[in-house]
Amino acid sequence: LVLPPSFRATVLRDDWVDVEYDNDYDNSSSSNTTDPPRRSTAVVVRFHGELARALQHEYDHDRGILITDHVTLDDLESDVMRRI
């Protein structure tokens, strides 16, 4: 995807985002042999501000969402017309 350098778009993002992940750890060296060797704990972390915005931006990348998916066709056309 190549956009003209003059292209600008405002992408609305949430002020905060919750990220949930599994915290896997190996306790096989534990002295308690009744424990299974692996455990998983769900963790939720809330991010605010610019870090939340950056995480949403990277999540878009991960899902294949482009800046052009956040703007209307009119926005894209008006930017091209300004360059002509």
Side-chain angles (χ1 to χ4, degrees), residues 5-20:
S6 62
F7 179 77
R8 297 287 180 262
T10 300
V11 178
L12 299 178
R13 303 278 187 192
D14 291 322
D15 293 332
W16 57 270
V17 63
D18 286 339
V19 176
E20 182 177 352

Side-chain angles (χ1 to χ4, degrees), residues 4-55:
S6 62
F7 179 77
R8 297 287 180 262
T10 300
V11 178
L12 299 178
R13 303 278 187 192
D14 291 322
D15 293 332
W16 57 270
V17 63
D18 286 339
V19 176
E20 182 177 352
Y21 64 94
D22 288 331
N23 185 13
D24 293 331
Y25 63 91
D26 186 354
N27 65 349
S28 58
S29 62
S30 172
S31 61
N32 185 353
T33 57
T34 60
D35 286 342
R38 297 211 43 92
R39 296 212 179 232
S40 179
T41 304
V43 178
V44 177
V45 180
R46 179 165 287 181
F47 297 94
H48 298 270
E50 286 301 312
L51 187 52
R53 185 174 177 82
L55 286 167

Side-chain angles (χ1 to χ4, degrees), residues 66-83:
L66 304 175
I67 185 80
T68 54
D69 296 322
H70 288 285
V71 297
T72 66
L73 184 57
D74 290 338
D75 293 332
L76 290 172
E77 288 174 346
S78 65
D79 185 70
V80 170
M81 293 308 289
R82 276 181 277 163
R83 295 185 61 219

